[in-house]
Amino acid sequence: MNITGLNLNYIKAFIAIVIVSVVSACSSAPTRDDSEAYTSAAPAAVNDDVNNMGSIYRSGYGMSLFLDRRARQVGDIITITLEEKTDASKSSSTATGKESNISVPTVTLLGRGATYDGVPILSTGVSTDQDFSGQGTSSQSNSLTGSITVTVSEVLRNGSLRVRGEKWVTINQGEEFIRINGIVRPEDIGADNAVPSYKVADARITYSGKGALADANSMGWLGRLFQSVLSPF
């Protein structure tokens, strides 16, 4: 057996695991420009009617006297009130038991039982007893409150509004951000042009951060290496 070649293969595998862990650790940090799915949407451009022939009416500049200022078009602003709270708990318990008994009577040969010194030699019996007991509990609680103002990125054919947006806050040596996108019904928008987050369909809400505090609360790449499924230890 080639011990040197075997050790070299282990070293190569370890180096590959380290490289994968470092790359995954570096790519996990969020950036401002990592996705276009949360960028604000601008309203459609309005062509100026140059040849209006002195008319006071201009296309695209109409004003309704009976409609409120709720969001309804691409580029309109709407406030999402974050009211997320989830509580989940689960417990399970299992207990099983089983007993089995099998006996084989003494075999008779020529009308007499097969014995050796009076002891039956072809008589046997099997007895099994199995018991199992298992128990598990799990609980989780999450809460997120606040607000974020986003823009309408698309008006669907049924009148629903697809909204998206993000908010970044820089505090000392760190940054925190909130991102959200989803679909809102115009009927759910309140008079203050706001809608609670639990009424946003297909919602994707992200709350995270980057910087010194975020790095202090995250596991290092070496710890991730030993916690990953690729770890041989």
Side-chain angles (χ1 to χ4, degrees):
M1 179 180 294
N2 189 354
I3 304 298
T4 304
L6 184 61
N7 293 335
L8 183 60
N9 291 333
Y10 277 118
I11 294 174
K12 290 180 178 179
F14 181 79
I15 294 175
I17 294 173
V18 171
I19 293 175
V20 171
S21 301
V22 172
V23 172
S24 62
C26 295
S27 62
S28 61
T31 59
R32 289 181 182 271
D33 302 325
D34 60 352
S35 177
E36 297 181 357
Y38 301 95
T39 57
S40 60
V46 178
N47 295 326
D48 292 335
D49 189 5
V50 179
N51 299 322
N52 57 1
M53 302 301 291
S55 173
I56 61 174
Y57 172 77
R58 299 182 63 185
S59 177
Y61 291 89
M63 181 181 66
S64 176
L65 300 178
F66 303 99
L67 292 179
D68 53 25
R69 301 296 295 173
R70 301 181 190 183
R72 61 174 54 87
Q73 297 177 353
V74 174
D76 287 352
I77 295 176
I78 182 174
T79 300
I80 307 296
T81 305
L82 301 175
E83 300 179 12
E84 298 294 325
K85 184 177 182 180
T86 59
D87 294 293
S89 61
K90 180 180 180 181
S91 62
S92 61
S93 178
T94 304
T96 60
K98 182 179 180 180
E99 287 188 23
S100 299
N101 292 299
I102 301 175
S103 61
V104 178
T106 303
V107 178
T108 58
L109 297 175
L110 301 177
R112 298 181 58 184
T115 60
Y116 178 77
D117 291 338
V119 179
I121 61 175
L122 295 180
S123 177
T124 184
V126 178
S127 177
T128 61
D129 187 3
Q130 301 178 359
D131 291 311
F132 171 79
S133 178
Q135 186 176 4
T137 58
S138 176
S139 62
Q140 184 176 358
S141 178
N142 299 290
S143 178
L144 178 63
T145 58
S147 62
I148 176 175
T149 301
V150 298
T151 57
V152 177
S153 61
E154 182 183 359
V155 179
L156 304 181
R157 296 184 61 182
N158 61 352
S160 297
L161 309 176
R162 188 182 299 275
V163 298
R164 69 186 185 195
E166 62 180 357
K167 177 169 66 175
W168 287 75
V169 180
T170 302
I171 303 175
N172 293 334
Q173 300 181 10
E175 290 183 311
E176 294 184 353
F177 69 89
I178 302 176
R179 288 173 169 172
I180 183 172
N181 61 17
I183 300 175
V184 175
R185 292 195 316 165
E187 296 84 355
D188 294 332
I189 303 176
D192 56 348
N193 196 38
V195 60
S197 60
Y198 59 82
K199 290 188 177 181
V200 179
D202 196 19
R204 295 181 62 88
I205 304 174
T206 303
Y207 176 53
S208 185
K210 52 181 289 188
L213 294 179
D215 294 339
N217 289 325
S218 63
M219 184 181 299
W221 65 266
L222 186 59
R224 294 184 183 181
L225 169 64
F226 290 108
Q227 295 292 335
S228 66
V229 296
L230 301 177
S231 175
F233 305 103

